[in-house]
Amino acid sequence: MEQVLTILIADDNPSDRILLKAILSQFGHNVISAVDGQDAIDKFDPHTIQLVCLDIKMPHKDGWEAALEIQRIAGDVFVPIVFLSGVTDPIALSNCLRIGGIDFISKPYSPALITAKLNAIVRLLVMQKTLEEQRDAMSLYNEQLLNEQDVAKVVYENITNSNCLKDPALSTIHYGTHTFNGDVILAAYKPNGGMHILLGDFTGHGLSAAIGALPLADIFFDWTKKGFLMRQIIPEINARLKGILPSNMFCSAAFIDIKVNNKSIEVWNGGLPDLLFLPQNAGKPVRFTSKNLPLGVLSADAFECQIEPMSFAPGDRLMAFSDGVYEALDLSGQMFCRSILNPLYLGEIDAEHSVNWLVQQLEQEGVLENPHDDISCLSVRLDTNIGIDSSEHEESRGHDEAPADFSFEYVLNADSLRNTDPLPYVLQILTTVPGLSSFSSQVFMILSELYSNALEHGVLKLSSDKKSSSDGFSLYYEERERRLANLRDGYVKISVKVTSDNNNRSLMLYVEDSGSGFDFQRVNYDISNTELLYNRGLALLDQLCSKLEFTKGGSAVTAHYHWQVGLAS
Amino acid sequence: MVESFFDKKTECLTILVKGRFDYSCHKMFKETFTAVSKVKSYEINLAEVSYLDSSALGMLLLLRDHAGAEKAQIRLVHVNSAVIDILKIANFHRLFDITE
């Protein structure tokens, strides 16, 4: 371990000073001499001097005073100090070590002892230098990492926040333990009104957890916008996550579909604590227990989608939270799910203030100061106006004037009725029509209303009377699933015709089913009559369309929709 | 803490996890099942697990994959009620044979 050091020695006794300098120089070290404590301080430079030797008793500041001053100048740089002493008093010597000296050399000098001590000091210096280099490398690396994370965070937030979380119906809380949050809350308006909401919790925390959120958000927003249904989007997300995530990573999630047309929600829960449906006028909440494996665990063919429907009255709320809330520890060390959350489960907390109440509990129990897991919670105030006027505002009108003139027919027989949802595809073709994309939400609403009437009442022969009570509501959907699964015969024909006449454009949607029709003369088009859900749908269509015509005894219906181009926006 | 025992006769690998079953066990847990070959079945003893988090669920999935996914024979035994609660929320009873 040969190393040349630059050594500062300070001794007021000239003969001792010259002797020490001679010994040190002999080993090849550079020696700078000082005649007293103040001189040593003046000559000290932490960047060139690696070792300081100070006599204890000197004029103009003694060795101890000089040592303290030199340490102050050195700051972060480690420069060992060795005291030179003719005294043998143990208290004086231990004082040297107490104020930061690493060793002392007794006079008279013994070259052998000095050599041994210098070697020890060199080893210490080498070790110190290695540590400093490692420390600097680490802090540089850490700084780079944080920089990169900041950039990635911007991208991440742009992708996961391009949604409608600011809707007044939604309240959310979101606390991450790292720069990146492994929890995501996504919300998007559906083209036919209503909203899709997803709360997800990826395995682990930080960047590795957040990375899976990108494809998740991508599919969620894209497919919702295109009009796909919850039961089509969930398997797609599952398949994509299964394909790209390592096998020990997955996403516990809840997916909520708010359907404003028939005042109902559908909930899919895969691995999250129970979602709570809180009725407006208090009472015990209805719990949506996890009935599915989390997203990204099962392969596409093994994946099942267990969805629960529920009807709501305006003002009811639905609440969901990640296990960071459920498993948070209160001040006594109990998990929230066994202590703090009890009043919520018992229906003792006012639905309207449930999120505020939860934040208060998290604060009181000290969870927010020191969270062990990412914490998120969402609550949505259910109502029939969610997502109704939202999409039109963003679209510009009156720019596309190229005339369109085409028609097509799309017939779905039993097998296809069971396995496909034709609406996104039909809508996709229709939105290619210049000008019509501005009205896509209305068109989609007409189309989906006509199609579900044809399928449910025509082909599957379900009676909508069942939907009137909330129990009947879930029974209705169970029955729908059952009949659809057993469907062997039947068809729905969708015919579309788009024509242009100067600035007037028209869309004709014709939907025919294999059912026996219904008594269309008795349809009540009064939209204020909210008693009847089925009629309510038709009343809505009647308002949107310029004309609604029934033929073939009610088993076929034609909706005429008109719009104009070339108008100033 | 992770301990393991391999019974050559029955070709069953028993893995015993103690205390908190979380990311800190990741390396040890993975090593216990990658170190042994020719394992026919697995028994994960969770009697002394006080808490289990989502990365532990991930480790169980990793083991399941390693053991042949759908064909894997993995039993989670002596599972206490707190842990069963977590496994149930994740619907893991559909992937593993779980007993108290």
Side-chain angles (χ1 to χ4, degrees):
Chain A
M1 212 174 293
E2 289 294 315
Q3 194 175 353
V4 176
L5 302 178
T6 302
I7 305 173
L8 172 67
I9 58 174
D11 197 332
D12 58 322
N13 179 327
S15 62
D16 280 353
R17 191 168 68 229
I18 290 162
L19 176 61
L20 184 60
K21 181 175 178 173
I23 297 173
L24 295 174
S25 307
Q26 212 182 338
F27 296 122
H29 299 299
N30 304 319
V31 179
I32 298 167
S33 303
V35 295
D36 57 40
Q38 187 57 51
D39 192 27
I41 294 165
D42 296 342
K43 287 181 172 155
F44 177 71
D45 176 354
H47 301 294
T48 55
I49 289 166
Q50 284 119 18
L51 173 65
V52 178
C53 302
L54 298 170
D55 186 23
I56 296 176
K57 285 182 184 147
M58 290 185 290
H60 312 296
K61 291 199 176 156
D62 62 20
W64 293 324
E65 288 171 303
L68 290 173
E69 188 66 14
I70 283 172
Q71 282 174 342
R72 196 187 57 74
I73 297 169
D76 282 344
V77 183
F78 173 71
V79 181
I81 295 173
V82 174
F83 287 98
L84 313 167
S85 167
V87 298
T88 49
D89 172 19
I91 293 177
L93 291 178
S94 66
N95 248 349
C96 299
L97 299 185
R98 191 173 53 77
I99 62 163
I102 61 156
D103 207 344
F104 35 75
I105 297 172
S106 321
K107 296 179 187 178
Y109 297 129
S110 139
L113 191 63
I114 291 176
T115 315
K117 289 199 172 186
L118 271 181
N119 280 340
I121 290 165
V122 167
R123 276 200 297 277
L124 190 69
L125 280 170
V126 168
M127 201 160 75
Q128 181 70 23
K129 201 168 165 229
T130 314
L131 274 177
E132 275 171 12
E133 280 169 3
Q134 284 175 347
R135 181 201 64 196
D136 292 348
M138 287 270 278
S139 75
L140 186 70
Y141 175 72
N142 195 37
E143 204 172 303
Q144 280 174 346
L145 195 70
L146 286 177
N147 270 334
E148 281 172 15
Q149 287 205 354
D150 282 341
V151 174
K153 191 173 188 234
V154 173
V155 177
Y156 176 73
E157 286 182 345
N158 283 342
I159 294 174
T160 53
N161 284 330
S162 54
N163 57 31
C164 55
L165 281 180
K166 291 196 178 70
D167 190 285
L170 283 172
S171 340
T172 55
I173 53 171
H174 210 37
Y175 296 95
T177 46
H178 292 66
T179 312
F180 285 97
N181 196 326
D183 286 1
V184 277
I185 302 179
L186 308 174
Y189 298 119
K190 298 189 289 178
N192 57 335
M195 192 190 269
H196 278 164
I197 306 172
L198 186 143
L199 180 99
D201 176 3
F202 281 88
T203 329
H205 323 288
L207 180 59
S208 62
I211 205 147
L214 301 183
L216 172 78
D218 209 33
I219 300 169
F220 177 85
F221 291 122
D222 198 39
W223 283 49
T224 297
K225 193 174 153 204
K226 286 187 175 153
F228 284 96
L229 305 174
M230 168 163 95
R231 63 182 158 79
Q232 297 168 307
I233 301 175
I234 294 171
E236 175 67 16
I237 293 176
N238 177 67
R240 188 87 66 94
L241 291 183
K242 174 73 183 165
I244 60 171
L245 295 181
S247 61
N248 60 336
M249 266 189 72
F250 54 84
C251 178
S252 297
F255 199 123
I256 302 157
D257 180 5
I258 302 174
K259 301 169 143 188
V260 289
N261 291 358
N262 55 12
K263 288 199 272 185
S264 73
I265 51 167
E266 289 194 336
V267 177
W268 179 93
N269 184 355
L272 279 191
D274 292 1
L275 276 75
L276 304 175
F277 179 87
L278 307 161
Q280 189 180 21
N281 349 313
K284 230 176 166 182
V286 179
R287 294 163 77 147
F288 292 92
T289 303
S290 159
K291 291 190 174 157
N292 299 276
L293 277 150
L295 296 166
V297 174
L298 291 174
S299 58
D301 38 313
F303 187 75
E304 285 170 46
C305 209
Q306 289 230 35
I307 293 170
E308 289 176 90
M310 173 99 191
S311 60
F312 68 81
D316 292 344
R317 273 182 176 268
L318 186 72
M319 190 175 186
F321 40 77
S322 62
D323 60 8
V325 173
Y326 188 75
E327 288 169 9
L329 297 179
D330 67 15
L331 291 174
S332 67
Q334 279 255 49
M335 279 203 202
F336 260 48
C337 58
R338 300 190 192 282
S339 57
I340 304 290
L341 296 180
N342 280 338
L344 186 67
Y345 288 135
L346 291 170
E348 290 163 7
I349 307 302
D350 179 24
E352 203 58 37
H353 302 110
S354 46
V355 171
N356 291 343
W357 175 82
L358 186 65
V359 174
Q360 217 171 30
Q361 303 304 313
L362 289 167
E363 266 167 11
Q364 268 171 24
E365 301 297 326
V367 178
L368 294 187
E369 287 161 42
N370 183 23
H372 296 289
D373 196 353
D374 300 325
I375 284 177
S376 18
C377 169
L378 80 85
S379 166
V380 54
R381 186 185 186 282
L382 300 166
D383 209 337
T384 48
N385 61 2
I386 293 177
I388 286 298
D389 304 314
S390 52
S391 51
E392 262 98 346
H393 299 306
E394 300 156 18
E395 316 272 357
S396 61
R397 297 182 176 195
H399 295 295
D400 303 305
E401 301 181 6
D405 192 347
F406 67 89
S407 66
F408 65 89
E409 190 174 89
Y410 189 173
V411 184
L412 295 102
N413 294 315
D415 284 339
S416 285
L417 287 173
R418 262 203 318 277
N419 302 322
T420 40
D421 174 18
L423 302 184
Y425 308 110
V426 175
L427 187 70
Q428 209 145 16
I429 297 172
L430 288 176
T431 48
T432 62
V433 176
L436 193 55
S437 59
S438 321
F439 308 104
S440 64
S441 62
Q442 292 191 0
V443 172
F444 194 86
M445 197 180 279
I446 297 167
L447 191 62
S448 58
E449 197 66 36
L450 294 181
Y451 181 73
S452 59
N453 280 349
L455 179 66
E456 292 171 11
H457 306 308
V459 178
L460 300 177
K461 302 185 171 39
L462 287 157
S463 157
S464 54
D465 298 347
K466 280 189 182 160
K467 278 201 277 191
S468 43
S469 70
S470 63
D471 270 356
F473 194 81
S474 9
L475 286 177
Y476 178 88
Y477 279 95
E478 276 166 31
E479 187 63 20
R480 180 190 188 278
E481 288 302 303
R482 203 182 58 75
R483 290 195 191 181
L484 192 60
N486 295 322
L487 186 68
R488 291 291 167 268
D489 288 307
Y491 69 87
V492 173
K493 183 198 281 182
I494 302 170
S495 230
V496 176
K497 189 172 167 61
V498 173
T499 49
S500 308
D501 174 19
N502 291 322
N503 286 340
N504 295 315
R505 305 290 151 89
S506 88
L507 163 73
M508 195 192 80
L509 285 170
Y510 171 85
V511 179
E512 180 189 316
D513 62 66
S514 55
S516 48
F518 73 109
D519 186 1
F520 57 88
Q521 310 286 4
R522 287 181 51 198
V523 171
N524 183 352
Y525 290 116
D526 181 4
I527 199 155
S528 60
N529 181 356
T530 53
E531 298 296 303
L532 298 164
L533 290 164
Y534 177 47
N535 283 358
R536 205 169 164 273
L538 285 179
L540 192 72
L541 290 192
D542 191 50
Q543 294 222 319
L544 290 173
C545 303
S546 47
K547 197 161 83 178
L548 202 60
E549 269 184 315
F550 291 96
T551 47
K552 298 200 173 174
S555 66
V557 56
T558 313
H560 298 269
Y561 185 81
H562 295 282
W563 75 101
Q564 286 193 312
V565 296
L567 300 174
S569 51
Chain B
M1 266 285 284
V2 181
E3 288 169 17
S4 65
F5 168 75
F6 183 55
D7 187 336
K8 281 190 181 145
K9 228 175 181 177
T10 59
E11 298 183 321
C12 173
L13 177 68
T14 304
I15 302 177
L16 183 73
V17 188
K18 292 180 179 178
R20 288 178 69 88
F21 190 7
D22 59 16
Y23 197 79
S24 61
C25 307
H26 186 261
K27 200 162 165 251
M28 275 206 283
F29 189 83
K30 202 175 163 185
E31 278 166 3
T32 54
F33 70 78
T34 47
V36 198
S37 55
K38 272 195 162 181
V39 182
K40 217 159 119 194
S41 67
Y42 297 81
E43 189 171 284
I44 319 298
N45 187 332
L46 300 176
E48 291 178 50
V49 168
S50 54
Y51 170 77
L52 166 147
D53 75 353
S54 64
S55 48
L57 298 178
M59 284 180 248
L60 292 173
L61 290 177
L62 206 62
L63 168 64
R64 184 173 175 269
D65 245 34
H66 176 82
E70 277 81 43
K71 283 169 259 146
Q73 286 189 39
I74 304 172
R75 299 195 300 138
L76 310 183
V77 298
H78 306 301
V79 189
N80 62 51
S81 63
V83 172
I84 278 203
D85 200 27
I86 298 169
L87 291 169
K88 256 196 197 144
I89 289 179
N91 276 265
F92 268 39
H93 48 277
R94 284 163 54 185
L95 302 180
F96 300 94
D97 181 0
I98 301 174
T99 49
E100 280 189 55

